[in-house]
Amino acid sequence: MRLKFLRTLLVLALLGNIIVWHRIWRLFATQNTLRLLTPSMVTPDPPQKLHRRLARLVTVVIRQFETFENDVASTVESVLNFFPTIPILIVCNELPYPPLELDFANDSMRNVKLVNLQPEFNKSYDERSPLFYVRTKYVLFLPDGSRLSTKQVMQETMTQAAKLGAVTVPIGSATLSCINIDLKVKEWSLKFSHSTGNECDGVNGKHATMLETRLLRKLTDPFLLPFTDALYIQTTALGAKIHMLSNYHFNEGKSLYRNQQSQWKLQQLYQSRERSMFEKLGIKMVIRVSNYIEWYGCSRESNRCFGSVINGVPSYLYQNRYTPPCCLSGLRKVAHHVFDKLEEVGIRFWLESGSLLGAMRNGDILPWDHEVQIGVNRDDLERSPWLIKAMNKPIVDNHGFVWEKATEGEFFKVQYSKINHLTVNILPFYAKNGSMVKDAWFLNNRDFPEQFLHPMSSIEFAGRQVPSPNNIRDFLELKYFKGVIENPELPGNISF
């Protein structure tokens, strides 16, 4: 009887333990579920752990500062006050003078590095590359004269960068504006316009930018000045967007460039750097937000904006680009001038070859063409005083255009200026046995039946009506091949 009683007690004890452990398991499971459903209730990292974790994930880069007036030392100290071990890079084009007020020998500055991009003896290429020192997943570009506000803002900025990609945070009370950047690499052009919303191509206003290091490594020149203008043009080329974080901000530091001399100097440096940036990135036409057009690369007083043309193939085609827009603009001016001068003296002319093809396709010069070609009736040449003079030697007319007889064939050239050799070719033809023929080979222009000029027609070209052969499609297919209007070929059989 007693043994049976003991067995009953053991069974009851075992059942009691099972019930207790089941309830403990249910309690822990409920707490874990609540923690997953309400992340805001998670106990935040202690401050020491937070700054160490961020220091392993973020490198701070100070790129926007001037040697003649800056607040770099205080900006660095502000970062170290919050994150003593975070890596900081100060990037400059040449060693600052006066020197920055930073004691790099101090142990507190052991993670602060001054990187000079300028070549130096006894310094390797890697040692001059800021990316060589970046070991973190994210980079924070902090402008001079900034102060971190709280550790939490840095944490939230990194969290948003992980979700959105590149993000910006305003400095102080700065109001940021979103900019749309229409970059056309083939056309060497760039257009800025205002944009709404928080997703942008670029951002105006004083701000910090955080992005992933892997994006930075894809850029052709990530530390190019002026910064951040050059950065955003390059990220646009990759299709990356910038997201403005309006709910966060970093604090403003020392007020800089308050006197007129500093402001003037800063403006001159910006203009010089911007021009150099456009040159390095191959931008020759810039349309500002106001729709004002600026040309970079060539003018009438400079060389044309592309190099040699060998076997009829301009060098820019090998760069996977079309004719620079400043050259197209100059070509239109030369063409209009030649049209006017030939019409003044009654010379019969018509659009030829590639120029006629461009007129048929888009009413303008072909996007990849580097010259304009027109045919003339050889019997009319003596009506032009400039062509008569050009038979003996090059002559500059009253408007600065240069007329000359070509050395490579029986035709004439009219150039934009003595320096800028953007050219309109004047190709003389004459009637023979029902065909329009030429005396010598030039520019692969074929003879053609005289009936194409009787009567002549006209076509829109470069902003005006210009004489042309009749039955243009048959004319062009005779010169080239069937279907050339719909499927033109680039010189040298280059294909994009």
Side-chain angles (χ1 to χ4, degrees):
M1 188 75 181
R2 187 173 179 181
L3 183 61
K4 189 175 181 180
F5 177 74
L6 288 174
R7 286 178 177 176
T8 303
L9 284 178
L10 286 173
V11 170
L12 290 173
L14 181 61
L15 287 172
N17 283 333
I18 291 173
I19 293 171
V20 169
W21 282 109
H22 177 70
R23 291 194 173 186
I24 292 173
W25 175 82
R26 287 284 302 275
L27 178 62
F28 275 98
T30 302
Q31 288 179 342
N32 286 334
T33 302
L34 287 173
R35 184 173 294 135
L36 290 171
L37 293 175
T38 56
S40 60
M41 296 178 62
V42 177
T43 304
D45 289 336
Q48 191 76 4
K49 185 176 179 181
L50 177 63
H51 84 66
R52 287 179 179 174
R53 186 165 70 89
L54 285 173
R56 291 194 298 268
L57 290 171
V58 180
T59 297
V60 175
V61 176
I62 300 174
R63 180 61 172 127
Q64 296 162 274
F65 73 96
E66 303 299 338
T67 58
F68 63 89
E69 183 179 348
N70 62 72
D71 189 39
V72 172
S74 297
T75 301
V76 169
E77 289 170 3
S78 163
V79 176
L80 294 178
N81 284 338
F82 284 99
F83 304 100
T85 61
I86 199 166
I88 301 175
L89 298 180
I90 305 167
V91 181
C92 55
N93 280 23
E94 57 186 23
L95 284 177
Y97 190 82
L100 299 176
E101 297 177 355
L102 292 169
D103 183 8
F104 291 99
N106 192 303
D107 186 60
S108 65
M109 302 282 290
R110 62 186 180 278
N111 293 319
V112 180
K113 183 76 176 176
L114 178 65
V115 183
N116 179 15
L117 300 179
Q118 191 177 53
E120 290 184 63
F121 288 115
N122 302 319
K123 277 207 171 181
S124 68
Y125 178 83
D126 283 342
E127 290 175 302
R128 294 187 293 105
S129 171
L131 287 175
F132 177 74
Y133 304 98
V134 179
R135 304 285 191 270
T136 57
K137 184 176 181 179
Y138 300 96
V139 171
L140 173 68
F141 287 103
L142 196 63
D144 189 18
S146 304
R147 304 287 187 269
L148 295 191
S149 46
T150 64
K151 292 180 180 179
Q152 284 68 33
V153 170
M154 178 76 102
Q155 170 72 49
E156 290 298 329
T157 301
M158 188 185 71
T159 301
Q160 294 301 318
K163 290 193 292 187
L164 301 173
V167 298
T168 65
V169 179
I171 304 296
S173 58
T175 301
L176 306 186
S177 59
C178 194
I179 299 296
N180 179 62
I181 301 175
D182 183 11
L183 174 65
K184 295 181 178 178
V185 177
K186 281 186 180 179
E187 287 80 9
W188 312 72
S189 66
L190 187 64
K191 181 178 181 180
F192 297 104
S193 59
H194 286 303
S195 181
T196 57
N198 291 322
E199 185 178 271
C200 323
D201 293 325
V203 176
N204 277 346
K206 189 171 183 179
H207 62 277
T209 306
M210 183 178 286
L211 45 74
E212 289 193 35
T213 303
R214 64 178 181 178
L215 174 61
L216 200 65
R217 293 185 186 278
K218 293 179 181 179
L219 306 182
T220 182
D221 194 345
F223 301 95
L224 181 63
L225 295 176
F227 204 84
T228 54
D229 303 48
L231 176 71
Y232 294 147
I233 292 173
Q234 294 175 76
T235 53
T236 297
L238 295 178
K241 292 291 184 179
I242 313 299
H243 298 82
M244 295 192 300
L245 305 180
S246 55
N247 295 330
Y248 311 103
H249 77 279
F250 293 132
N251 292 334
E252 183 80 64
K254 176 183 175 182
S255 181
L256 298 170
Y257 321 119
R258 302 183 65 177
N259 63 62
Q260 291 185 355
Q261 183 182 16
S262 295
Q263 292 172 9
W264 177 85
K265 192 170 184 178
L266 189 68
Q267 183 182 25
Q268 297 301 305
L269 282 170
Y270 179 83
Q271 292 176 353
S272 172
R273 289 166 180 168
E274 187 181 54
R275 179 171 289 276
S276 176
M277 171 188 70
F278 290 144
E279 182 179 348
K280 289 179 179 179
L281 297 180
I283 304 298
K284 297 186 182 294
M285 182 176 74
V286 177
I287 305 176
R288 300 292 183 178
V289 173
S290 62
N291 285 325
Y292 179 74
I293 299 177
E294 295 176 351
W295 300 102
Y296 296 87
C298 71
S299 68
R300 198 171 191 187
E301 291 73 36
S302 67
N303 294 326
R304 66 185 180 190
C305 46
F306 58 89
S308 300
V309 179
I310 299 174
N311 296 326
V313 183
S315 57
Y316 53 79
L317 290 182
Y318 290 104
Q319 301 175 40
N320 199 27
R321 291 189 169 195
Y322 290 147
T323 311
C326 52
C327 285
L328 291 175
S329 176
L331 266 178
R332 293 185 192 102
K333 293 176 183 177
V334 185
H336 287 184
H337 180 71
V338 173
F339 299 157
D340 289 339
K341 291 303 177 185
L342 297 183
E343 287 175 349
E344 283 178 8
V345 294
I347 291 182
R348 292 166 287 179
F349 70 93
W350 59 91
L351 282 180
E352 264 286 348
S353 304
S355 299
L356 184 59
L357 180 59
M360 278 293 287
R361 284 181 59 81
N362 56 8
D364 203 349
I365 302 167
L366 286 170
W368 56 82
D369 215 351
H370 64 281
E371 58 192 8
V372 171
Q373 298 185 36
I374 60 175
V376 299
N377 194 306
R378 189 183 68 175
D379 296 337
D380 295 344
L381 291 181
E382 293 186 356
R383 295 181 183 181
S384 168
W386 301 112
L387 290 174
I388 293 173
K389 294 175 182 178
M391 291 180 183
N392 298 317
K393 63 178 181 179
I395 184 74
V396 181
D397 68 20
N398 300 332
H399 299 276
F401 296 90
V402 180
W403 300 65
E404 66 177 2
K405 190 174 183 298
T407 57
E408 61 268 36
E410 295 295 322
F411 64 100
F412 295 86
K413 294 180 176 182
V414 182
Q415 297 177 161
Y416 198 12
S417 68
K418 283 185 175 181
I419 299 174
N420 193 321
H421 293 173
L422 291 172
T423 302
V424 170
N425 293 317
I426 300 176
L427 317 174
F429 287 84
Y430 62 95
K432 182 178 181 181
N433 299 327
S435 295
M436 296 300 293
V437 300
K438 52 196 178 303
D439 277 340
W441 173 90
F442 53 79
L443 304 177
N444 291 325
N445 278 274
R446 296 182 180 178
D447 300 342
F448 58 90
E450 190 178 2
Q451 66 189 32
F452 280 110
L453 301 181
H454 299 297
M456 281 203 288
S457 184
S458 68
I459 192 170
E460 178 79 15
F461 180 74
R464 64 186 286 174
Q465 286 292 316
V466 181
S468 71
N470 59 59
N471 205 345
I472 296 175
R473 175 175 292 277
D474 287 349
F475 182 85
L476 287 171
E477 291 185 349
L478 175 67
K479 292 272 184 174
Y480 295 101
F481 54 86
K482 192 172 183 61
V484 65
I485 296 173
E486 291 75 21
N487 302 289
E489 293 181 348
L490 273 67
N493 293 321
I494 294 175
S495 60
F496 286 171

